Amino acid sequence: MKHGMNETMTAYDTMTTEAGTIAGKWLSDAGLRPTRQRMTLATLLIGDGKHRHVTAESLYADAQNSDEAVSLATVYNTLRAFCDAGLLQEVTVDGSKSYFDTNTVDHPHFYWEDENRLSDAPASELEIARLPKAPDGAEITSVDVVIRLRRTK
């Protein structure tokens, strides 16, 4: 919605503007140019200030409801750029399913198999006593923990 000089902004428009400001800073701080499409996706990802776990397909579906249409290919490319810039963490559940997490601090995840959903697991309850030694010429850069869950009947 565009506003003329004499029109006032609604609470929704103010919230959207604030979300856009947050998203623009998020991109700029990571050294990414805030294009319209990046701004749209960034606002969907972090505009409400809550951490999210999304797939490319779920973010694409959210974007279809926004004023700025983006293609699925653009969503994939943008998510890759956000990961490369350190804005998102990619969590691979199996060889074909990736989720993108706005919380980039190392933490474990629950994967709800019955719902195809990822959620944070309490990091304070995870204890890893020892890791295997990395092979010669390699170093461990991270450890991903995905705990698979199925609801009991």
Side-chain angles (χ1 to χ4, degrees):
M1 176 187 303
K2 302 214 187 247
H3 298 282
M5 298 278 286
N6 297 326
E7 296 179 74
T8 58
M9 294 179 72
T10 66
Y12 173 79
D13 295 325
T14 303
M15 179 185 74
T16 303
T17 301
E18 290 171 11
T21 300
I22 292 167
K25 182 170 177 9
W26 190 62
L27 294 172
S28 295
D29 288 351
L32 292 175
R33 191 167 54 90
T35 64
R36 282 192 331 262
Q37 292 162 323
R38 284 180 180 166
M39 285 291 295
T40 296
L41 297 175
T43 300
L44 289 169
L45 286 167
I46 58 108
D48 64 1
K50 298 177 183 172
H51 287 297
R52 296 188 62 201
H53 301 94
V54 300
T55 62
E57 293 78 10
S58 70
L59 185 59
Y60 173 73
D62 289 347
Q64 295 309 296
N65 296 324
S66 72
D67 291 336
E68 180 69 34
V70 295
S71 70
L72 184 56
T74 297
V75 172
Y76 273 104
N77 291 336
T78 302
L79 288 171
R80 178 63 38 223
F82 288 179
C83 285
D84 291 346
L87 295 174
L88 297 176
Q89 175 184 39
E90 184 174 7
V91 180
T92 303
V93 174
D94 59 38
S96 63
K97 190 73 159 178
S98 286
Y99 288 81
F100 298 88
D101 189 352
T102 58
N103 181 359
T104 58
V105 175
D106 286 337
H107 62 284
H109 291 93
F110 288 131
Y111 177 66
W112 300 85
E113 291 181 336
D114 300 338
E115 302 172 30
N116 291 321
R117 181 174 60 88
L118 197 69
S119 64
D120 290 339
S124 61
E125 295 179 20
L126 178 68
E127 291 183 29
I128 299 176
R130 183 175 42 221
L131 294 174
K133 184 178 179 225
D136 288 340
E139 66 180 353
I140 296 173
T141 59
S142 69
V143 175
D144 298 324
V145 177
V146 176
I147 302 160
R148 295 173 179 275
L149 302 173
R150 185 176 305 126
R151 296 216 185 267
T152 57
K153 296 183 183 190

